Amino acid sequence: MQKHLVLHIASGDMESQEQFAAPYITRLKATGADTIPSDQTEIMTIDPTSVTQTKDRLKRFTQPPYLIGASLTIGGIIALTLVAFAKSSPTPLQASTSLNQIPGKLSSSLPAPAPSPIPLSTPSPSPSPQPIDPSALTPEERALNEKAKQELLQSSAPVDSFIEMKVAIAEKVLALTVSFSTATDALNPEGQAIGHFAANQSYSVEVGGDGIRINGKAFPGIVMISLPPDGLFTLNERTYHGHLILAVDGGKLWAVNQVNMRQYLHSVVGSEVSPSWDMEALKAQAIAARSYALTYYYKPMSGLFDLGATEYYQVYRGIEREADRTSQAVDETSGQFVSYRGGVVESLYAASDDIVMEAFQGKGMSQLGALDLAEQGYSHQQILSRYYPGTGIGQILMDQQ
């Protein structure tokens, strides 16, 4: 069955502020998209490139950036729904609210059994199930067990887990050191194994002519190291989730972390603000960071990476800055982003109002200002409305059909 990415953005009654919004707006465009405007509604149908094979993932690195628009493959349909902010000025909440509603349990569709005309004797208690010793499982049983666990995790994963970001974590350097939590292979751009890495062993990486040298062995100019879902790699003493791409360009080394949006934001929000902050301020930060990342997902810096990991973009430091409360803010706003008339807003932000004024002419969110509003009782929606007037919250949803 052919899979499509469907972007459905329903416009609400929003205040028109073209002059304010113009610096931020990035339209969701892709080659071959069909746009059908109707009653201020846009529906775009896109045929995304499969990312299930390594070759297809690496293919994106050699394409011109303008051909790399929406390679988001989730295995179903995604709907982006725009929820407009209220036009009135924000007022403090009287009680905290949650956007996430827990669905009720599904009732069985089977009819209840008819009562038996014959009295039943009290059944003897069934023996309690005995715990299984994992070490007693055969290799085949362990493989099946691991596969079942991964399928369960994937079926319940937030939508952020299905969006892959490519973050440059080392730019234009001469040498790197890297290690991996598990044994894995080095792959060339065709997806063929061209080398092997042992677990927990340090490897030196340097430029070698037009290619890469790893522990003195020659490799091509682009090498991908793919890791399992629970795998980690350490680059120059900083540890990351996801996969690693090593590339040579202009005689310098680049390292790119291919990581899903959820893990990326767990680090970004924890790196940008304190986990001790009010939860509504953390949620506002999570949505702003996701929106900022999406603008680079749809309009990447190059064919190799979407955006960088420094303060020039938004700070990304791998697993070292992950924290329970900042991760909670990311997960409870999963898929939400700042939107304006069917576009993703490049939601600029900085530490204080003074920096926002100096760097962005006052058009962005003050992180300390957001904290102050949250402590006054404002919700994260009201905080975002204050700093990005005339915008709404877009929602990426997984369609299970």
Side-chain angles (χ1 to χ4, degrees):
M1 181 180 68
Q2 189 177 29
K3 298 176 182 178
H4 296 83
L5 170 65
V6 177
L7 309 179
H8 186 118
I9 303 173
S11 299
D13 181 18
M14 295 182 294
E15 184 178 350
S16 176
Q17 298 199 19
E18 297 282 357
Q19 185 175 2
F20 172 86
Y24 304 121
I25 305 307
T26 299
R27 302 295 297 176
L28 303 181
K29 292 182 177 179
T31 304
D34 298 322
T35 303
I36 309 173
S38 176
D39 297 327
Q40 298 184 351
T41 298
E42 291 184 337
I43 301 177
M44 295 183 287
T45 303
I46 303 166
D47 292 319
T49 302
S50 173
V51 294
T52 57
Q53 299 294 326
T54 301
K55 181 178 179 180
D56 294 313
R57 290 199 300 266
L58 289 175
K59 183 178 179 181
R60 180 177 176 187
F61 305 151
T62 58
Q63 293 176 328
Y66 59 82
L67 293 181
I68 307 166
S71 60
L72 188 62
T73 301
I74 293 185
I77 298 176
I78 297 180
L80 278 68
T81 305
L82 180 65
V83 182
F85 284 127
K87 294 172 66 176
S88 58
S89 300
T91 55
L93 288 180
Q94 299 301 317
S96 61
T97 59
S98 173
L99 291 181
N100 294 337
Q101 302 296 324
I102 300 175
K105 294 181 178 180
L106 295 177
S107 60
S108 172
S109 60
L110 297 176
S116 173
I118 302 174
L120 299 177
S121 58
T122 303
S124 58
S126 300
S128 300
Q130 297 298 316
I132 297 175
D133 180 6
S135 63
L137 297 176
T138 66
E140 292 78 11
E141 290 171 334
R142 285 196 295 269
L144 287 172
N145 190 45
E146 182 62 28
K147 180 180 179 182
K149 286 194 299 182
Q150 294 302 324
E151 289 176 349
L152 177 62
L153 289 173
Q154 292 175 8
S155 67
S156 60
V159 68
D160 284 347
S161 299
F162 297 93
I163 304 172
E164 286 191 337
M165 299 297 299
K166 294 180 175 64
V167 188
I169 53 177
E171 305 180 27
K172 300 180 181 180
V173 298
L174 295 175
L176 297 165
T177 59
V178 64
S179 63
F180 307 94
S181 64
T182 184
T184 187
D185 291 330
L187 307 176
N188 65 13
E190 285 70 44
Q192 300 167 333
I194 53 175
H196 183 77
F197 299 105
N200 303 315
Q201 178 177 330
S202 180
Y203 293 87
S204 62
V205 183
E206 57 188 2
V207 177
D210 293 333
I212 299 170
R213 298 191 73 84
I214 302 177
N215 276 9
K217 181 181 177 181
F219 287 83
I222 295 180
V223 176
M224 178 172 180
I225 301 96
S226 183
L227 294 168
D230 58 349
L232 300 170
F233 70 89
T234 300
L235 186 81
N236 290 351
E237 300 183 355
R238 182 166 285 168
T239 303
Y240 300 88
H241 295 287
H243 312 298
L244 174 64
I245 298 101
L246 299 171
V248 170
D249 182 59
K252 298 294 179 64
L253 275 173
W254 294 72
V256 176
N257 183 197
Q258 183 173 322
V259 60
N260 69 57
M261 178 73 82
R262 184 190 184 206
Q263 293 170 332
Y264 170 70
L265 291 178
H266 283 177
S267 175
V268 167
V269 178
S271 300
E272 287 283 353
V273 296
S274 170
S276 65
W277 281 17
D278 187 285
M279 182 55 68
E280 293 304 305
L282 296 181
K283 288 182 178 180
Q285 176 65 54
I287 294 172
R290 183 181 296 105
S291 183
Y292 185 87
L294 283 172
T295 64
Y296 283 92
Y297 178 87
Y298 285 105
K299 191 177 180 181
M301 289 296 297
S302 76
L304 178 63
F305 66 99
D306 299 328
L307 76 172
T310 66
E311 293 85 352
Y312 182 84
Y313 303 92
Q314 50 188 5
V315 181
Y316 172 63
R317 296 176 178 166
I319 69 172
E320 70 180 51
R321 297 307 296 268
E322 293 178 359
D324 290 343
R325 296 188 78 252
T326 47
S327 296
Q328 177 186 345
V330 170
D331 292 344
E332 291 186 0
T333 61
S334 181
Q336 296 180 24
F337 61 95
V338 184
S339 183
Y340 179 83
R341 292 192 172 184
V344 179
V345 174
E346 185 181 12
S347 44
L348 303 173
Y349 59 85
S352 67
D353 288 314
D354 290 342
I355 299 176
V356 170
M357 181 60 67
E358 180 181 352
F360 312 130
Q361 294 74 53
K363 299 170 183 177
M365 183 178 73
S366 161
Q367 293 165 310
L368 293 174
L371 174 61
D372 181 63
L373 290 176
E375 291 175 342
Q376 295 179 48
Y378 287 73
S379 70
H380 61 278
Q381 299 100 322
Q382 292 170 326
I383 293 170
L384 293 170
S385 178
R386 170 69 68 90
Y387 285 109
Y388 308 107
T391 64
I393 293 182
Q395 176 74 59
I396 305 173
L397 302 173
M398 177 76 78
D399 191 319
Q400 301 293 344
Q401 295 181 354

